[in-house]
Amino acid sequence: MKQIYCLRLFMFIMVMFPLTSFAQGTVSGTITEASTGNPLPGANVVVKGTSNGTTTDFDGNFNINVNNFPATLVVSSVGYTSEEVGVDSAQSVNVSLQDGVALSEIVLIGSRSAGRTAIDTPVPVDVIDVVELAAQGPQTTVNEILNYVAPSFTSTTQTVSDGTDHLDPASLRGLGPDQVLVLINGKRRHKSSLVNVNGTVGTGSVATDLNAIPAAAIAKIEVLRDGAAAQYGSDAIAGVINIVLRENTNELNLMVNSGANVSKHSEQYDEGGMDGERFQVSANYGLDLGNNGGFINFTGSLENRGATNRSDSMQQPIFTMFDTATRMLGYDQAFAMNPSALSAYVGSLDSTLQSVYDNGIANGDDFLDIIASDAGPGGAQPITEYELRQRGLTRDDFRMKIGQSKLRSGKFMMNMELPVDDNGGTFYAFGGLSFREGLAAGFFRRPAYTDGRGTTAALENGFLPHIASTVVDKSFATGIKGNIGDWKVDFSNTFGRNSFDFTIENTANATLGASTPREFNAGGFAFSQNTTNLDLSNFYEDVFEGLNVAFGAEYRLENYQLIAGEEASWASYDVNGDVVSASTPDDDKVYSYFGRLVPGGSQVFPGYRPENATDANRNSYAGYLDVEADITEDFLVSAALRYEDYNDFGNTFNWKVASRYKVTDNIALRAAASTGFRAPDLHQIYFNATSTLFVAGVPNEVGTFANNSRLAQLLSIPGLEEETSQNFSLGFTAKIPEAGLKLTVDGYIVNVDDRVAQTRSYSSSGQNAEVQQIFSDAAAGSAKFFMNAYDLESSGVDIVIDQKMGIGQGTLNNSLAASFRKFEVTDVVEVLGQEVLDDRAKGFVESAMPRTKVNLTNMYSAGNWNFLLRNVYFGEVNDPDFEGSASPVIYGEKIVTDLSIGYTLDDNITLTVGANNLLDVYPDEVPTASNYGDQFIFSRRTSQFGFNGRYVFGRITFKLK
Amino acid sequence: MKNLKYVYKFILVVPLLFMVGCIGTDDYSDVVSNQYSQQSTVFIETDDASEITRTVPGNVAQPIEVGVNNAPSSDITVSFSVTKDGGDAVEGVDYMISDATILASEVVGSSEVTFMSSGIYVVTVRSASDGSRIAVDNKAIFNVPPAVTVSISWGDAFYDYDLYLIAGNQDINGEVLANTFDTIAFETFEVYPPEGFSSVFIDDWWDDNAGTDVILIVEVDGNIEIYDVVMDQDKFVLVIETSYDADGNPEYDITPL
């Protein structure tokens, strides 16, 4: 309670402080709209050359203190052309602003015509001013910024999910991460090389790595919330994200950001403290190239992100009697004892252990069960408790790392344009290089793992294996654009490559016992994409009220590589140190004390085997025609056709029509219908990760088989084809200048057919003789595949309201963005008599992300002060782990509050402090019985808003000219 | 302005130092405990998955195997403790056992135990000649059921009758479990009939078929039953159906024919 009082007092002081500032020499006046004469609230009035400014009130009136006369007042407002007015003394000034648009309001995406304002486009587009948000908001990466700003965009950091820990799967309108096309400066961005195969939102998909792009390099992000495959090609089913890079010159922008999670669950659940320390420095600088508007802009960014951990003490059994014997006798010496002797020996060490032994004998339990089963009365774990005491350890020593992974990154981005003639000819290039090292942990290999993966021969207390990912992302685009006659021509080539390399650290190959290495190169992936585009467009002013005709072609080359790891990362070794093969006698294989075949390969992440290695290519070409006509000043119609041909699965033809009709100057209706597609990613076609188990000397392959594998053919699993979609949207836009308010409401339906997904794991067990023969012929024990698996029906409504108003001497910008949606998985394909998706996989698609999300952002600027208050409502989500069960688990809706306060010391230095999730809100907890011994206290399956808790930060921004 | 530049430079350098400083920081460490010892043990060697009681006949040597968890450098002699029905068993009266020897560099050794009366016997390792070895008290448990003594006697030694116990219910082709071939007027054997049916058969060696009166005596754990048999031909005279209760004790259902 005291904390809340202090917080309120602090906020009150922060809000009131600027209002108490005053100066002398007051200029007053009224700002009006030139076309109507109506007063213009929320208009900015700034003394030129200073940071001294104010905004108009609801009646368009303002008062501003001017220290030195003569002075020039700059009057501006969004949607109007700025005016400058000279003042010589304290006086009254009235200014009328003409209609116009601010540069940042112009939308480049969704139309190949000249830019329109977001409110004039026939399809919904959000324009996100990253420069402003990166300066004021707590979020620092592209995914984070979009998650808290863009309606219908969802992305959270995953945990204990291998490579996905370092690449946040992002979703637009709740569709898959691979159903969003990402552009940089309008050019197709390559995807990540990682296919998500862990149990997270977006499993089975290949996302674009947005975090490879430094936020400091971005001027704005346009989010097109509508299908656009007919315009931009594959992937643009849910929409398109266009990242527009900064172009500023002769200005060094330096940002130093530091923060940490200061939360009630930091470091350990319910302990409180600080973790997740983050330190980021970025610099952006541009130079003029020539005297014709050419520029080159560079951005460098370094970031260090600490790990967070929200687990509590490990409540799972940690030790068995075998471990007690190991401690007392030595590993090999304990192994030499028969279970009868070992259990009796351990039982004799302590009365609690004797009780375990006696109870087991009385129950007629097997000796191995007595040794392994650490189950005492009332849930007690007498063996673990005894052993912890003897070893001087606590359950805290066996905690997992459940939270944000550690990450260190360095990113570089360049953007340049160089005019080469006086006719608009411009050479341009942009590209970047990013290097990220992530470190995420897996499941703690407790000694109690009776199959030997705890590797107590080498590590008596088990170990917490880590996956170190090295993600390198390179991109370079170059092109030339200009005019040939009346036609605008743009010829470009864009190359991108993303690679993921896995090093497994602090782990072991259990079949090597005490001689195991502790670090393994487990292989990785690489994905390259080269896209060549030729775009031509012509704007006919005299046709209707304007007609834009565009056409073009695209040729794309893709390459996917799966790289094998070192032998020890995937191999099972026998007792002689030789790789287990079909000829290895059973007696020579490595078994645990409990008689189980010890799994080979590096624990937590077995490396990719040589037979998994892949180097696959694909090419495609496309042609499109795009027409956009202003039939009248009020009525806009656009249509697009696109044909694409892929050398592996065939061709596809897509179309789109869209229209906007202005009912009045301030109200417009808009609608669009389109078809779309998404080519199956090379990853999905060729990814395979199998391991070999020898059962009675017969090698059995288990794992994920490539879609074109022999087993897939034997099971009649069809080759992957494109997903197709039908998109429909209907909405209206409105603006109320008198209130400084803009409103868009858009409803949509997206139906996806033949969605590509990873199937459940199939085994031949219980199948008929023919199926068993197929598995036997392929030497497969169990198998899963990527295939066109199901249809998806998605619908929803997005509402965006922006308002600007003057309060006191400042400007208040209010933005409300709400997204409501629902999904249904239908027509799931069956294989071997079972649907290929189980309930959990359906849950990931249907309800693991909020179906409702509402964002209310209030930004107040007054003089040198800036305040940001943001409340984001995240709707309830279902835990996929409980889908289909008698007791589904729902995590309730939450509101997360961000607050930041910035102060500009002079024109060059801005200090900002603030917090994300100020009130330290956490998702509902996983039922205790299902939280893996207090480790997964918050679900790792859902994607709501993460569970890092309160993040506080401080930031210094320098601007040097 | 000059001071401001220093500030800028400092701000630029600090994060770089921080970034470099973060390299190699402890991301993980092994869970270390130093509570280890290297004790040596000696124990009953068995492949039994759970604690079981073996039913064995009395007066028949039973093997006992012992093991050690690390091979000794010199021979080890292992002695045993034996209890009967939860109390002390008397060596020479209830049982006979010899020490086991585990040879140097070997990990197993063996011995034999013979039980001389019925009862539940528990054999454990008492000690080893290498006193540093911990004798584990895992158990070898034996149930020695009471024997069935079958006797026949007749008046005239001129006739010769031989006594058989044959597996099965009056199955003349069954396995011969016990027999006697004396030539006097008295034959007897002590047997432990197996679970299921077994049958007592009297063979008239000379096939006199004289209709001689023969007294058949069956004693089980001190209880005696007497049957009169007229030997006018070779014949089965008793059927014994043997079953075991939950404690492993036999129950004999004897049916005269």
Side-chain angles (χ1 to χ4, degrees):
Chain A
M1 192 64 194
K2 188 175 179 182
Q3 284 180 328
I4 294 174
Y5 175 78
C6 292
L7 184 64
R8 287 176 177 167
L9 179 63
F10 175 71
M11 292 172 69
F12 178 79
I13 292 170
M14 289 297 105
V15 171
M16 295 305 295
F17 179 74
L19 306 182
T20 60
S21 301
F22 59 91
Q24 297 176 347
T26 300
V27 175
S28 60
T30 303
I31 310 300
T32 57
E33 188 180 39
S35 59
T36 63
N38 292 328
L40 200 56
N44 294 308
V45 181
V46 178
V47 179
K48 190 173 183 179
T50 75
S51 57
N52 180 21
T54 186
T55 57
T56 55
D57 61 17
F58 193 77
D59 297 320
N61 299 320
F62 72 94
N63 291 292
I64 187 167
N65 298 311
V66 178
N67 290 330
N68 298 305
F69 292 105
T72 301
L73 300 183
V74 180
V75 183
S76 63
S77 184
V78 173
Y80 299 90
T81 303
S82 299
E83 293 282 346
E84 294 188 3
V85 181
V87 288
D88 299 324
S89 61
Q91 61 187 98
S92 178
V93 175
N94 297 323
V95 179
S96 295
L97 294 183
Q98 300 288 338
D99 287 348
V101 292
L103 184 62
S104 64
E105 286 287 294
I106 292 175
V107 174
L108 303 175
I109 198 173
S111 168
R112 295 187 189 274
S113 181
R116 299 178 184 275
T117 60
I119 209 161
D120 282 341
T121 56
V123 290
V125 179
D126 303 309
V127 181
I128 296 157
D129 185 341
V130 177
V131 174
E132 181 174 303
L133 286 172
Q136 287 189 246
Q139 293 78 24
T140 56
T141 67
V142 175
N143 268 322
E144 290 172 341
I145 290 170
L146 289 175
N147 191 40
Y148 276 85
V149 175
S152 77
F153 184 94
T154 303
S155 174
T156 57
T157 300
Q158 304 298 312
T159 187
V160 194
S161 54
D162 298 349
T164 309
D165 278 33
H166 309 132
L167 197 158
D168 308 339
S171 167
L172 194 62
R173 283 187 162 169
L175 295 173
D178 52 0
Q179 293 176 316
V180 181
L181 174 65
V182 177
L183 310 175
I184 302 232
N185 283 353
K187 306 300 179 189
R188 175 179 285 268
R189 173 78 172 175
H190 62 281
K191 287 185 173 180
S192 163
S193 57
L194 176 75
V195 56
N196 298 308
V197 289
N198 275 80
T200 66
V201 165
T203 187
S205 65
V206 181
T208 301
D209 187 0
L210 290 173
N211 286 345
I213 305 159
I218 301 171
K220 64 176 179 177
I221 297 176
E222 300 167 338
V223 182
L224 168 62
R225 289 179 275 121
D226 194 50
Q231 293 167 292
Y232 298 103
S234 177
D235 304 342
I237 288 179
V240 182
I241 293 173
N242 183 35
I243 294 173
V244 181
L245 299 176
R246 293 175 75 154
E247 299 179 355
N248 52 290
T249 61
N250 301 315
E251 181 178 282
L252 172 64
N253 289 284
L254 177 67
M255 188 271 289
V256 180
N257 185 81
S258 182
N261 290 97
V262 182
S263 168
K264 59 189 173 189
H265 299 315
S266 286
E267 300 182 27
Q268 183 165 350
Y269 177 77
D270 226 10
E271 292 290 326
M274 184 172 74
D275 60 9
E277 293 84 356
R278 188 179 292 207
F279 201 95
Q280 183 185 36
V281 56
S282 64
N284 176 277
Y285 186 67
L287 294 168
D288 290 327
L289 291 181
N291 299 317
N292 298 322
F295 67 87
I296 185 165
N297 183 281
F298 301 101
T299 304
S301 173
L302 296 171
E303 181 181 2
N304 200 80
R305 184 183 83 180
T308 60
N309 195 354
R310 300 293 173 265
S311 68
D312 205 346
S313 303
M314 170 61 78
Q315 297 303 320
Q316 291 276 318
I318 298 170
F319 295 106
T320 68
M321 283 187 171
F322 178 71
D323 303 304
T324 305
T326 296
R327 177 176 56 78
M328 298 298 293
L329 310 173
Y331 182 86
D332 291 337
Q333 290 72 23
F335 207 99
M337 292 179 71
N338 62 71
S340 163
L342 190 141
S343 55
Y345 165 74
V346 175
S348 68
L349 295 174
D350 182 81
S351 60
T352 59
L353 301 180
Q354 189 66 50
S355 295
V356 174
Y357 177 79
D358 291 343
N359 290 337
I361 293 295
N363 292 334
D365 295 342
D366 285 357
F367 292 121
L368 286 177
D369 288 338
I370 296 170
I371 294 168
S373 302
D374 192 9
Q381 297 171 353
I383 300 173
T384 294
E385 294 300 333
Y386 171 80
E387 202 52 29
L388 287 171
R389 285 196 303 273
Q390 297 304 312
R391 298 188 186 214
L393 300 174
T394 71
R395 289 181 179 272
D396 285 352
D397 294 317
F398 299 87
R399 291 176 60 214
M400 291 169 59
K401 291 182 178 177
I402 309 299
Q404 156 186 292
S405 63
K406 184 172 182 177
L407 197 64
R408 187 169 65 220
S409 67
K411 304 171 193 173
F412 170 80
M413 205 82 196
M414 179 277 292
N415 183 31
M416 64 89 68
E417 285 190 9
L418 179 64
V420 292
D421 63 22
D422 295 331
N423 194 29
T426 303
F427 170 79
Y428 61 88
F430 57 87
L433 172 66
S434 85
F435 180 86
R436 272 181 295 164
E437 283 186 337
L439 187 68
F443 277 73
F444 202 110
R445 264 48 181 176
R446 289 169 282 119
Y449 276 102
T450 56
D451 62 1
R453 72 182 66 182
T455 324
T456 51
L459 299 149
E460 61 271 14
N461 297 311
F463 55 95
L464 182 60
H466 284 65
I467 301 170
S469 304
T470 301
V471 189
V472 179
D473 196 285
K474 305 168 187 172
S475 64
F476 184 72
T478 184
I480 188 161
K481 59 185 178 184
N483 298 316
I484 300 178
D486 292 335
W487 287 87
K488 290 181 179 175
V489 181
D490 185 346
F491 179 71
S492 64
N493 189 78
T494 307
F495 173 79
R497 186 177 193 276
N498 180 278
S499 65
F500 243 89
D501 291 308
F502 296 103
T503 302
I504 314 305
E505 300 177 359
N506 198 44
T507 187
N509 182 328
T511 59
L512 289 171
S515 59
T516 177
R518 299 299 311 282
E519 187 174 307
F520 302 82
N521 171 9
F525 322 106
F527 177 71
S528 303
Q529 176 179 287
N530 191 83
T531 308
T532 305
N533 288 90
L534 176 64
D535 301 300
L536 299 94
S537 68
N538 195 351
F539 185 71
Y540 298 93
E541 285 186 48
D542 301 333
V543 179
F544 305 120
E545 292 294 322
L547 170 70
N548 192 79
V549 177
F551 65 93
E554 179 179 290
Y555 180 71
R556 193 159 80 239
L557 271 172
E558 294 174 335
N559 173 265
Y560 174 70
Q561 295 176 25
L562 199 162
I563 300 145
E566 63 177 299
E567 180 187 277
S569 74
W570 52 263
S572 288
Y573 294 94
D574 66 14
V575 293
N576 303 310
D578 298 323
V579 176
V580 171
S581 66
S583 61
T584 304
D586 279 349
D587 286 348
D588 283 356
K589 294 170 188 170
V590 179
Y591 296 89
S592 77
Y593 182 79
F594 297 87
R596 300 188 176 116
L597 199 61
V598 171
S602 48
Q603 280 298 312
V604 83
F605 191 107
Y608 297 107
R609 309 165 69 86
E611 52 267 38
N612 297 137
T614 297
D615 188 351
N617 296 292
R618 168 164 82 187
N619 66 74
S620 68
Y621 61 87
Y624 72 86
L625 173 65
D626 193 332
V627 179
E628 185 171 308
D630 285 293
I631 306 295
T632 67
E633 284 189 358
D634 299 327
F635 185 38
L636 165 73
V637 175
S638 69
L641 304 172
R642 188 179 181 100
Y643 173 83
E644 294 210 16
D645 188 274
Y646 287 75
N647 71 324
D648 51 358
F649 70 83
N651 56 58
T652 176
F653 178 80
N654 292 278
W655 55 265
K656 177 171 185 173
V657 291
S659 181
R660 185 223 62 218
Y661 179 71
K662 287 186 177 177
V663 179
T664 69
D665 283 346
N666 294 329
I667 297 176
L669 302 176
R670 59 190 181 188
S674 65
T675 62
F677 80 104
R678 191 189 71 80
D681 291 295
L682 285 177
H683 322 47
Q684 294 173 320
I685 299 172
Y686 295 104
F687 174 79
N688 70 108
T690 56
S691 57
T692 304
L693 291 181
F694 291 94
V695 179
V698 178
N700 269 259
E701 302 292 333
V702 297
T704 301
F705 288 75
N707 176 263
N708 60 353
S709 64
R710 178 165 169 264
L711 183 60
Q713 292 165 0
L714 286 171
L715 292 177
S716 301
I717 288 178
L720 281 174
E721 294 188 347
E722 77 276 19
E723 300 170 7
T724 59
S725 72
Q726 302 86 45
N727 297 50
F728 307 95
S729 66
L730 177 65
F732 77 93
T733 67
K735 56 183 178 182
I736 307 172
E738 300 79 18
L741 189 144
K742 291 184 293 184
L743 164 70
T744 67
V745 179
D746 294 281
Y748 61 89
I749 297 173
V750 182
N751 294 329
V752 180
D753 295 335
D754 302 323
R755 174 73 171 140
V756 176
Q758 194 178 26
T759 68
R760 68 169 75 209
S761 190
Y762 287 95
S763 75
S764 62
S765 174
Q767 301 293 337
N768 61 37
E770 184 182 0
V771 172
Q772 295 198 16
Q773 188 62 47
I774 291 171
F775 273 82
S776 176
D777 288 348
S782 66
K784 47 188 175 181
F785 311 87
F786 281 96
M787 64 178 291
N788 295 97
Y790 64 95
D791 296 344
L792 177 66
E793 295 176 2
S794 165
S795 59
V797 176
D798 293 335
I799 301 171
V800 179
I801 304 172
D802 287 315
Q803 191 218 8
K804 190 172 188 179
M805 60 191 295
I807 293 183
Q809 295 185 10
T811 304
L812 178 64
N813 287 286
N814 302 309
S815 174
L816 176 71
S819 177
F820 309 91
R821 55 180 182 254
K822 68 173 184 177
F823 307 92
E824 187 177 357
V825 172
T826 63
D827 299 325
V828 180
V829 176
E830 289 192 357
V831 171
L832 299 179
Q834 274 187 308
E835 289 188 341
V836 298
L837 295 189
D838 56 22
D839 288 328
R840 192 176 81 163
K842 288 181 191 174
F844 279 127
V845 178
E846 291 182 330
S847 54
M849 286 184 289
R851 282 152 288 192
T852 301
K853 185 175 165 187
V854 182
N855 175 327
L856 175 62
T857 302
N858 312 104
M859 296 174 70
Y860 182 73
S861 300
N864 293 335
W865 290 92
N866 290 292
F867 302 89
L868 181 146
L869 174 65
R870 181 160 54 216
N871 286 282
V872 183
Y873 168 93
F874 293 91
E876 66 182 27
V877 293
N878 290 32
D879 191 328
D881 281 345
F882 297 89
E883 286 292 335
S885 72
S887 306
V889 172
I890 299 171
Y891 305 122
E893 68 274 12
K894 302 289 178 186
I895 296 176
V896 175
T897 303
D898 294 354
L899 177 69
S900 72
I901 301 165
Y903 181 76
T904 302
L905 288 175
D906 55 33
D907 285 345
N908 297 326
I909 300 175
T910 301
L911 304 175
T912 307
V913 295
N916 161 236
N917 195 354
L918 178 70
L919 303 179
D920 207 15
V921 174
Y922 277 80
D924 290 342
E925 296 182 7
V926 173
T928 304
S930 303
N931 70 9
Y932 196 71
D934 288 351
Q935 300 308 288
F936 295 105
I937 295 171
F938 305 103
S939 174
R940 63 178 177 139
R941 305 297 191 194
T942 60
S943 184
Q944 198 174 19
F945 56 93
F947 47 84
N948 281 334
R950 182 193 299 114
Y951 174 79
V952 297
F953 74 97
R955 181 180 299 138
I956 306 175
T957 306
F958 300 89
K959 185 181 291 185
L960 299 178
K961 294 186 177 179
Chain B
M1 190 62 191
K2 189 177 179 181
N3 290 337
L4 200 57
K5 283 185 177 178
Y6 282 125
V7 172
Y8 293 152
K9 288 177 181 177
F10 178 74
I11 295 294
L12 281 170
V13 168
V14 165
L16 292 174
L17 291 174
F18 179 84
M19 301 292 286
V20 171
C22 288
I23 297 172
T25 54
D26 289 339
D27 295 314
Y28 43 76
S29 55
D30 291 335
V31 181
V32 177
S33 56
N34 294 312
Q35 303 286 322
Y36 283 72
S37 61
Q38 290 286 322
Q39 293 182 344
S40 299
T41 58
V42 56
F43 45 84
I44 301 288
E45 189 65 275
T46 175
D47 291 331
D48 291 343
S50 60
E51 188 170 276
I52 62 171
T53 300
R54 285 189 170 74
T55 299
V56 298
N59 298 316
V60 176
Q62 303 297 326
I64 289 282
E65 203 165 58
V66 291
V68 288
N69 69 339
N70 50 3
S73 56
S74 58
D75 294 356
I76 295 176
T77 302
V78 180
S79 61
F80 299 93
S81 292
V82 181
T83 63
K84 178 186 175 186
D85 297 332
D88 291 337
V90 180
E91 187 166 10
V93 175
D94 295 317
Y95 71 97
M96 297 289 289
I97 195 167
S98 57
D99 290 346
T101 301
I102 299 174
L103 300 176
S105 304
E106 298 289 334
V107 293
V108 292
S110 62
S111 177
E112 290 184 336
V113 59
T114 302
F115 303 106
M116 300 161 68
S117 61
S118 63
I120 302 292
Y121 292 86
V122 176
V123 181
T124 56
V125 173
R126 176 192 295 146
S127 63
S129 57
D130 175 2
S132 66
R133 285 192 181 269
I134 295 172
V136 177
D137 67 344
N138 65 317
K139 305 172 179 68
I141 305 173
F142 300 92
N143 177 17
V144 182
V148 176
T149 303
V150 181
S151 307
I152 53 174
S153 61
W154 60 98
D156 188 350
F158 171 80
Y159 301 106
D160 183 12
Y161 300 115
D162 295 326
L163 192 58
Y164 290 81
L165 181 70
I166 300 173
N169 187 351
Q170 304 171 69
D171 180 5
I172 195 65
N173 297 314
E175 179 188 0
V176 176
L177 301 172
N179 58 4
T180 61
F181 296 108
D182 286 337
T183 54
I184 58 175
F186 179 76
E187 303 264 348
T188 186
F189 56 54
E190 186 181 73
V191 296
Y192 295 89
E195 190 167 12
F197 288 102
S198 53
S199 306
V200 175
F201 182 80
I202 302 175
D203 177 40
D204 184 345
W205 174 255
W206 298 112
D207 291 327
D208 295 314
N209 299 330
T212 307
D213 292 329
V214 173
I215 298 170
L216 173 63
I217 302 171
V218 179
E219 179 186 351
V220 180
D221 207 17
N223 298 314
I224 295 173
E225 292 287 341
I226 299 173
Y227 305 95
D228 294 329
V229 177
V230 177
M231 280 304 297
D232 51 359
Q233 61 177 339
D234 299 343
K235 63 172 61 174
F236 283 101
V237 293
L238 288 178
V239 173
I240 304 172
E241 185 179 3
T242 307
S243 59
Y244 291 89
D245 65 14
D247 296 328
N249 297 312
E251 294 177 355
Y252 303 116
D253 184 7
I254 299 172
T255 306
L257 298 173

